[in-house]
Amino acid sequence: MAMAMAMYRPIKGQEEEDDGNRNRSLKSNDGDGAGGGRTVVDENKSFILPTHSKQQRLKQQQQQQQQQQRLVSLDVFRGLTVALMILVDDAGGVLPAINHSPWNGLTLADVVMPFFLFMVGVSLGLTYKKLSCKAVATRKAILRTLKLLIIGLFLQGGFLHGLNDLTYGVDMTQIRWMGILQRIAVGYLVGAMCEIWLKGDNQVTSGLSMLRKYQFQWGAVVILVSLYLSLLYGLYVPDWEYQIPVAASSSSPKIFRVKCGVRGTTGPACNAVGMIDRTILGIHHLYRRPVYARTKTCSINSPDNGPLPPDAPSWCQAPFDPEGLLSSVMAVVTCLVGLHYGHIIVHFKEHKDRILHWMVPSTCFVVLGLVLDLSGMHVNKALYTFSYMCVTAGAAGIVFTGIYILVDVFGFRRPTLVLEWMGKHALMIFILATTNVLPVILQGFYWKQPGNNILRLIGIGR
């Protein structure tokens, strides 16, 4: 699963726990060669222990070792991202400065999605570091992807109607096909296939040898970036139209026509990202509350939602999916960048080596993204532009490195225990927080009238 646990071998300097009562010792081999680890039992005392007792103690010892091997910093980073997601979802309407940028630009809310994708990549690098059977690993990756897609369609496809509507169900002619979990599923699948099938057999002794080992994965990155840029700037976008139903059901819907006839533009109305989604997915299957509705052109309360200005253009109310098809191509690249950071954990055991190999590319990504933004390739979350990918992937690498230093190097775990717990249960919290499942359930219990419920009592859902 995209938010699955990440495991790694103990880093150098990390002490193993000792219960003081066991009569055997554990030897571990951190190398890449055969042999692994073996258990040595004190033969002089083993005869007094029943067979089932020895097996039970061995199982407990393996569980303790698994707890030691868990990469705590990744859980904390995941938990921090979940907490950030909840913050921007609940406070974004009150504080527009942390809400999603109406179009170009970067806010606090805009880093949540790439942070999740980055962590998916890191986890994949640890999950598939050793494979016994590529076919079995591929089948498991496909099944996990399908599970994420199904959960995403159920939660964000329109089946649940929200706080003020206790009904449920979705018209299949208008279901939303894409969403947050669907995008994570795509990134997970592509990243898993790259890690299973596109890595060499050579030993890693330096940063250069690691690049050679994963050269085909970096080739896939180049292909995806080239595909995205060529379609975004090369496709011709013709004029198009959409409909909005009027209040009276007997009246015909109102038709809006958007004039384009351009190529290579990245504005809200005539970009190739929206055109591809309208053509392949269908305009009725796109997100109906577009982020550009909060621009100054479309809202008198910009950067918040508000009434349309008198001279608002025709495209202001048109559907647009922020997790569309073409933009998801660049989102996959973020996942593959995170995969590289996972490789560093696998092949470098010293803290200083890991930190160096993380900070150098992270800084380069941020600088490159800012340079591209100043050069005209704007940072844009809705389009998931190349500059946006660079800045957010670099920021994710820097934040992850900082958490690693704090938690795994210096051992400050107590202040981050809540975030660690949230990271271990990220998918459950995501389901409860972002789709209003818990509030909808609570709202379903009312006194005589649906409006008399606990949520209305505390001021939610009015």
Side-chain angles (χ1 to χ4, degrees), residues 376-449:
M377 185 183 292
H378 297 296
V379 172
N380 187 296
K381 189 263 181 187
L383 301 178
Y384 217 112
T385 55
F386 181 57
S387 58
Y388 170 78
M389 188 281 298
C390 289
V391 171
T392 54
I398 293 173
V399 174
F400 177 60
T401 303
I403 295 176
Y404 176 82
I405 294 173
L406 179 67
V407 176
D408 286 314
V409 177
F410 292 113
F412 291 112
R413 289 189 60 179
R414 187 177 297 274
T416 61
L417 284 177
V418 175
L419 295 179
E420 182 182 346
W421 180 87
M422 294 177 67
K424 292 178 180 179
H425 304 86
L427 182 59
M428 178 191 69
I429 297 175
F430 172 85
I431 293 174
L432 294 177
T434 63
T435 57
N436 291 323
V437 172
L438 183 59
V440 168
I441 293 175
L442 292 177
Q443 197 180 39
F445 295 93
Y446 55 86
W447 181 258
K448 294 185 178 180
Q449 298 294 331

Side-chain angles (χ1 to χ4, degrees), residues 71-72 89 163 169 171 186 211 277 336 345 388 412-413 456:
L71 189 63
V72 179
D89 284 347
L163 286 175
D171 182 356
V186 172
L211 290 176
D277 290 338
L336 296 181
I345 298 173
Y388 170 78
F412 291 112
R413 289 189 60 179
R456 290 290 182 90

Side-chain angles (χ1 to χ4, degrees), residues 173-339:
T173 63
Q174 300 187 34
I175 187 173
R176 183 189 176 198
W177 294 117
M178 299 300 291
I180 296 174
L181 287 181
Q182 293 93 312
R183 170 171 282 182
I184 293 176
V186 172
Y188 174 86
L189 180 62
V190 176
M193 294 302 101
C194 287
E195 186 64 7
I196 294 171
W197 298 99
L198 298 181
K199 63 180 178 182
D201 298 326
N202 57 293
Q203 297 293 322
V204 173
T205 57
S206 63
L208 185 60
S209 62
M210 187 174 68
L211 290 176
R212 285 197 298 267
K213 182 179 180 69
Y214 301 104
Q215 57 183 325
F216 293 110
Q217 294 184 7
W218 287 109
V221 169
V222 173
I223 292 174
L224 291 175
V225 172
S226 301
L227 175 65
Y228 172 86
L229 293 177
S230 61
L231 293 177
L232 179 66
Y233 293 103
L235 280 182
Y236 175 79
V237 181
D239 299 346
W240 55 283
E241 64 182 31
Y242 67 98
Q243 300 177 352
I244 293 183
V246 295
S249 58
S250 58
S251 303
S252 58
K254 189 174 182 180
I255 299 176
F256 293 86
R257 290 180 174 83
V258 182
K259 184 173 180 59
C260 290
V262 295
R263 192 190 308 271
T265 181
T266 57
C270 302
N271 59 80
V273 172
M275 190 267 289
I276 291 176
D277 290 338
R278 291 191 298 270
T279 303
I280 298 178
L281 299 177
I283 195 167
H284 296 296
H285 298 284
L286 304 183
Y287 190 57
R288 299 185 181 182
R289 290 180 291 176
V291 67
Y292 52 66
R294 295 189 289 108
T295 59
K296 292 182 179 180
T297 308
C298 299
S299 173
I300 61 175
N301 296 332
S302 180
D304 202 357
N305 289 299
L308 290 170
D311 57 345
S314 58
W315 48 264
C316 280
Q317 302 176 79
F320 180 88
D321 209 311
E323 283 83 37
L325 297 175
L326 183 57
S327 57
S328 293
V329 171
M330 193 59 66
V332 171
V333 176
T334 300
C335 186
L336 296 181
V337 171
L339 186 60

Side-chain angles (χ1 to χ4, degrees), residues 9 26-29 35-39:
R9 291 186 177 275
L26 180 68
K27 291 184 179 181
S28 62
N29 182 359
R38 65 178 182 274
T39 301

